[in-house]
Amino acid sequence: MAIAANLGFPRIGARRELKTALEAHWAGRISAEDLAAEGALLRARHWALQKEAGLDVIPSNDFSFYDQVLDATALLGAVPERFGPLQGAVTPAQYFAMARGTKTAPAMEMTKWFDTNYHYIVPEFTDGQAFRLGSLKPVEEFLEAKAQGILTRPVLLGPVTWLSLGKAKTAGVDPLALLPAILPIYADILRRLRQAGAEWVQIDEPVLVTDLSQGQARALRSAYADLAEAGPKVMLASYFGALDDNLDLALSLPTAGLHLDLVRAPGQIAQVLAAESGQLAGKVLSLGLVDGRNVWRADLAQALTVAQQAAQAFGTERIQIAPSCSLLHVPVDLAAETGLEEDLRGWLAFATQKLAEVAVLSRALAGADVAADLAASDAAVAARRASPRIHDPRVKARSAAVTAADLARPAPYAQRARAQQAVLALPAFPTTTIGSFPQTAEVRRARADHRKGLLSDADYTGFLQRETEACIRQQEDLGLDMLVHGEFERTDMVEYFGEKLSGYAFTRAGWVQSYGSRCVKPPLIYGDVSRPQPMTVDWARFAQALTDRPVKGMLTGPVTLLQWSFVRDDQPRSETCRQIALAIRDEVADLEAAGLRAIQIDEPALREGLPLRRADWTGYLHWAVDAFRLSAACVRDATQIHTHMCYSEFSDIMPSIAAMDADVLSIETSRSDMDLLQDFGSFAYPNEIGPGLWDIHSPRVPSHAQMVTLLRKASSVIPAERLWVNPDCGLKTRAWPETLAALRNLVAAAAALRAGDLAPLPVTGAKARVQACACR
């Protein structure tokens, strides 16, 4: 009989109960014990839901109070010294300090989980690194489920993936050389799980779908040779792509099962079917046939055909049906979406519905009568394919007519810079922010009241105008040189624009976790995209009329609007991105016509979209950079185009960053202590750069002296005439007191640099391994 399995379930709860509890704990309103109790309630609810859905294999230890990589770091006792000594188990205070920092200890770096919009906390490795068992969470949660009558399959992040995701903080430290030190802890946990009654354990090694180094391949062989007999049977899980040249390695590892992502890489089933029987050696194959990364309903008939091919070759008893990856990346339940149009709703499946799809495929493979389910799937797939709301011939024609001339600014940067300075008259080391200012409880309450009809359109507009004017006055008082309007009218940097674009739809409760308590509600791109009317012009014009200083028009770029949405899967992503770029281009032209002298088009997701295999990078970077250029190239030389990329590693894509040809690029550099700027110095980046001086993910306010030190380092890499001064990212998540304090220090640091009494400091050390975030 085929087995219905799951690899992971969303943690946040259908009503974001985890977010509420976490933020209450951080604010001191509930204790650590109360937070733990809320986590137990969520786990129990989710285990029961999966059992009721007909799942045979239900995961445990897929729950986390922040992220699964940080959980593995705690498990291994790899707590950096600045967070205090490890005495017994890692405490909740240490755990959250690693993620969020303290007033005296900066947080650990944060980056994207492979090519998703989910973030993880980067492990840190130092010379003389010591490891010890710091948490029994996998065992405790297995026993917790067992007490409820559910025998789960615990999930562990694999040792080689964990080491590969970390960063050496001491020169000369090779993370993979630490493998012998952590394997005994993994073996200990596996033995404890076996003693507790676990029959299987899922070990996630998504590094298997990347370009493995020889060292990683050796580490995988060594790790699983050591762990093969340590505990329960191992389901080795790969996902987010194809094993390809790593297939033989994966099949050779002494594990009882192998999971394949057949949504991202459907062709690899043919490779497995063609493998020698000896390589398979009785392994159980877990077929990831239901998309764990997107919200579209599965084509069950097509998926069943693949499952039947595998069952015919290997036997039904050796097949598990599963999502392609953990369902962490999709919303919890479609049932809450009563406001969606019925046809669109019929095309969708969230995590709860995906469990049902997995169960249907499993039952079908076992010979059960699921004709009604298959017919409903066929009808939904056909209706979506034929729907007239998906296709707009005018949009397609405009996209097809784009030429190379549409992608280029009229003059090179050096000529544009002179024209822009003549208009903007900025001082040396100009100061600015990235876009948003604090979204207070009052702002959120007014927005909610307006949506409920409790606050009229006129009253809400008046409220937003007062907030915007107050923000402009604060920036003038602080002495900032280029201002922003604060974005109080915006929910977030994607949803706001998507709500104003054709081809987008929005959910009411389609939340997914980005990191910790940070949840986002990605829009759905279901059809061709266009801009029916201006989106930001009125607010930008209003803000600019309040001040003589330049105000930046604030836009989200086409790649980010694509990456941070659930994207249609019936045409190439490059085509959808070009359509979005044309819509943003129209907005850029209207902002310039309204008198805006600077326009920022944020692309924090540019690097996030890189394929996991380097051989696929060129094609992606070509269309992604072209999309940015298409959105920006319509303006005059004197209009300054900014872009922002927070939490990104640039060393291997510097030519593409330069090819975007933005006049000013602002980036995150504070967590890396300006080390990230090495890439720009080595490459001789030709345009202007604003390296961030303040990590806005931490409640810590850096001092004036600390900012001066960072600026001195930056000035050793970036010529003075091309150096801007700004925070790492937008400020919507910060409170006003810390925002004002940090910005006063930032402006004072810029003034010190203008005074000319600062000798540059060299930038040294390891580069940051961080990618984009969703903080604006």
Side-chain angles (χ1 to χ4, degrees):
M1 178 178 176
I3 297 295
N6 188 22
L7 275 65
F9 196 77
R11 309 149 181 167
I12 58 174
R15 295 182 298 278
R16 291 183 293 165
E17 295 93 330
L18 180 59
K19 173 185 176 67
T20 301
L22 280 170
E23 293 178 356
H25 175 62
W26 295 337
R29 295 193 299 272
I30 67 171
S31 66
E33 292 75 17
D34 292 335
L35 177 62
E38 183 61 39
L41 286 173
L42 285 169
R43 291 191 294 273
R45 185 184 308 159
H46 296 160
W47 288 326
L49 185 154
Q50 292 173 80
K51 184 176 181 179
E52 291 166 7
L55 271 289
D56 304 298
V57 175
I58 297 171
S60 62
N61 199 44
D62 55 331
F63 178 87
S64 176
F65 281 114
Y66 210 91
D67 87 79
Q68 70 272 12
V69 183
L70 183 59
D71 288 354
T73 299
L75 173 73
L76 297 167
V79 179
E81 289 183 1
R82 64 184 180 277
F83 301 112
L86 185 59
Q87 297 175 339
V90 173
T91 67
Q94 284 177 311
Y95 179 87
F96 290 125
M98 288 191 284
R100 305 179 70 235
T102 68
K103 290 183 178 180
T104 57
M108 296 166 71
E109 292 177 11
M110 181 169 65
T111 188
K112 289 298 181 69
W113 174 246
F114 292 84
D115 60 349
T116 74
N117 192 29
Y118 175 80
H119 298 66
Y120 72 90
I121 300 299
V122 179
E124 296 181 6
F125 306 130
T126 58
D127 191 25
Q129 179 87 42
F131 299 96
R132 54 177 285 190
L133 184 63
S135 168
L136 289 174
K137 179 177 177 292
V139 181
E140 292 166 350
E141 293 185 6
F142 172 80
L143 291 171
E144 190 179 312
K146 188 177 180 182
Q148 297 172 30
I150 299 175
L151 191 68
T152 60
R153 184 173 71 187
V155 181
L156 298 175
L157 179 61
V160 179
T161 293
W162 183 77
L163 290 170
S164 298
L165 295 175
K167 174 183 176 181
K169 301 294 283 187
T170 305
V173 172
D174 176 10
L176 292 175
L178 302 173
L179 182 65
I182 66 172
L183 286 180
I185 302 173
Y186 271 91
D188 186 8
I189 285 293
L190 290 173
R191 282 191 294 270
R192 290 172 187 260
L193 285 170
R194 181 172 58 189
Q195 291 166 2
E199 299 174 358
W200 281 82
V201 63
Q202 173 186 319
I203 301 185
D204 290 357
E205 291 282 12
V207 73
L208 277 164
V209 304
T210 67
D211 296 316
L212 291 177
S213 68
Q214 291 183 353
Q216 287 172 310
R218 285 194 300 270
L220 284 161
R221 293 188 185 96
S222 174
Y224 289 91
D226 277 10
L227 299 178
E229 303 300 325
K233 290 181 285 188
V234 172
M235 173 60 71
L236 182 66
S238 67
Y239 41 78
F240 300 156
L243 290 166
D244 280 343
D245 54 330
N246 299 327
L247 176 61
D248 287 346
L249 169 62
L251 290 175
S252 73
L253 298 178
T255 63
L258 177 65
H259 174 78
L260 305 170
D261 184 340
L262 297 178
V263 174
R264 276 293 186 91
Q268 64 180 330
I269 188 62
Q271 290 180 279
V272 174
L273 292 174
E276 297 179 9
S277 58
Q279 288 181 293
L280 294 164
K283 286 185 189 290
V284 172
L285 290 180
S286 173
L287 309 181
L289 293 169
V290 172
D291 195 345
R293 291 277 298 271
N294 213 333
V295 293
W296 307 109
R297 194 166 174 169
D299 184 338
L300 292 181
Q302 184 180 71
L304 182 58
T305 298
V306 175
Q308 288 170 336
Q309 290 174 344
Q312 185 176 5
F314 304 118
T316 305
E317 70 281 356
R318 291 173 56 194
I319 298 297
Q320 294 185 6
I321 305 298
S324 59
C325 60
S326 169
L327 297 175
L328 167 70
H329 308 286
V330 294
V332 176
D333 195 351
L334 186 61
E337 304 304 329
T338 55
L340 286 173
E341 295 179 63
E342 194 59 33
D343 58 345
L344 176 57
R345 193 175 187 275
W347 303 341
L348 300 175
F350 292 176
T352 302
Q353 291 69 44
K354 290 178 184 294
L355 296 177
E357 291 180 326
V358 168
V360 167
L361 289 170
S362 174
R363 295 201 311 273
L365 199 59
D369 182 6
V370 295
D373 296 294
L374 294 176
S377 172
D378 289 345
V381 169
R384 181 180 169 212
R385 187 180 297 122
S387 174
R389 69 186 297 172
I390 289 179
H391 306 290
D392 185 334
R394 294 171 298 176
V395 174
K396 284 185 165 61
R398 186 184 181 195
S399 177
V402 170
T403 67
D406 296 318
L407 310 179
R409 297 283 294 273
Y413 160 75
Q415 184 175 329
R416 300 197 308 262
R418 291 191 293 271
Q420 290 159 18
Q421 182 58 17
V423 171
L424 296 170
L426 293 168
F429 313 110
T431 57
T432 189
T433 63
I434 303 307
S436 59
F437 267 77
Q439 297 231 344
T440 62
E442 186 180 12
V443 170
R444 295 193 298 270
R445 183 166 55 250
R447 182 184 299 128
D449 287 348
H450 179 246
R451 287 188 168 180
K452 294 174 185 175
L454 303 176
L455 192 63
S456 70
D457 290 349
D459 287 342
Y460 184 51
T461 298
F463 170 81
L464 292 175
Q465 287 176 339
R466 291 190 296 275
E467 291 292 315
T468 301
E469 182 168 6
C471 184
I472 292 291
R473 300 298 171 234
Q474 287 279 20
Q475 293 173 81
E476 288 178 329
D477 291 345
L478 287 164
L480 289 166
D481 301 306
M482 182 169 283
L483 314 187
V484 297
H485 78 286
E487 302 181 15
F488 302 106
E489 78 284 4
R490 304 185 188 184
T491 48
D492 73 27
M493 63 186 294
V494 174
E495 184 177 50
Y496 177 82
F497 291 95
E499 286 177 336
K500 299 178 183 302
L501 293 168
S502 297
Y504 274 78
F506 288 83
T507 62
R508 177 176 298 170
W511 298 98
V512 295
Q513 186 182 32
S514 181
Y515 57 88
S517 70
R518 170 69 176 175
C519 299
V520 294
K521 188 152 58 73
L524 319 176
I525 304 178
Y526 67 85
D528 290 329
V529 178
S530 61
R531 187 197 71 147
Q533 59 190 19
M535 302 179 286
T536 67
V537 174
D538 287 345
W539 284 112
R541 185 189 286 117
F542 173 79
Q544 184 63 82
L546 295 171
T547 182
D548 292 332
R549 301 185 192 187
V551 174
K552 286 189 289 188
M554 300 302 304
L555 303 174
T556 303
V559 177
T560 301
L561 285 169
L562 180 89
Q563 288 292 127
W564 293 356
S565 301
F566 290 120
V567 184
R568 60 189 293 188
D569 56 3
D570 62 333
Q571 71 177 15
R573 292 170 71 88
S574 57
E575 171 57 26
T576 302
C577 196
R578 176 172 285 200
Q579 292 177 5
I580 299 170
L582 287 167
I584 299 301
R585 181 185 180 94
D586 292 342
E587 189 73 10
V588 168
D590 283 348
L591 284 169
E592 183 182 56
L596 275 294
R597 293 166 283 172
I599 301 167
Q600 183 169 307
I601 308 171
D602 288 345
E603 284 292 22
L606 183 81
R607 195 184 195 288
E608 170 188 321
L610 274 177
L612 297 179
R613 297 285 189 156
R614 190 176 286 267
D616 300 323
W617 283 17
T618 300
Y620 162 76
L621 287 169
H622 177 76
W623 63 255
V625 170
D626 277 0
F628 179 86
R629 292 171 66 102
L630 179 61
S631 71
C634 58
V635 297
R636 298 184 296 270
D637 290 347
T639 299
Q640 191 173 71
I641 294 294
H642 292 236
T643 192
H644 172 64
M645 295 180 181
C646 51
Y647 300 85
S648 293
E649 181 182 346
F650 299 112
S651 58
D652 44 10
I653 59 168
M654 283 302 304
S656 296
I657 301 298
M660 294 170 69
D661 198 26
D663 298 304
V664 182
L665 166 66
S666 57
I667 58 174
E668 178 277 334
T669 51
S670 67
R671 284 199 179 194
S672 69
D673 199 33
M674 288 290 166
D675 293 337
L676 192 64
L677 284 181
Q678 291 180 91
D679 298 336
F680 292 88
S682 301
F683 181 77
Y685 184 78
N687 300 7
E688 297 166 47
I689 303 176
L693 302 184
W694 168 28
D695 173 18
I696 62 86
H697 283 296
S698 171
R700 177 173 171 266
V701 174
S703 68
H704 167 257
Q706 290 168 330
M707 289 193 179
V708 166
T709 298
L710 289 176
L711 271 178
R712 291 176 66 190
K713 288 189 173 186
S715 66
S716 71
V717 178
I718 309 300
E721 67 273 13
R722 293 195 281 112
L723 182 61
W724 283 65
V725 181
N726 47 257
D728 277 346
C729 204
L731 306 175
K732 68 179 292 184
T733 61
R734 305 270 46 97
W736 271 108
E738 62 187 294
T739 294
L740 295 176
L743 289 179
R744 287 190 191 101
N745 292 342
L746 183 146
V747 171
L753 204 61
R754 289 171 194 157
D757 58 354
L758 299 177
L761 288 176
V763 176
T764 59
K767 293 178 289 185
R769 295 190 59 235
V770 286
Q771 295 183 351
C773 75
C775 51
R776 269 197 49 231

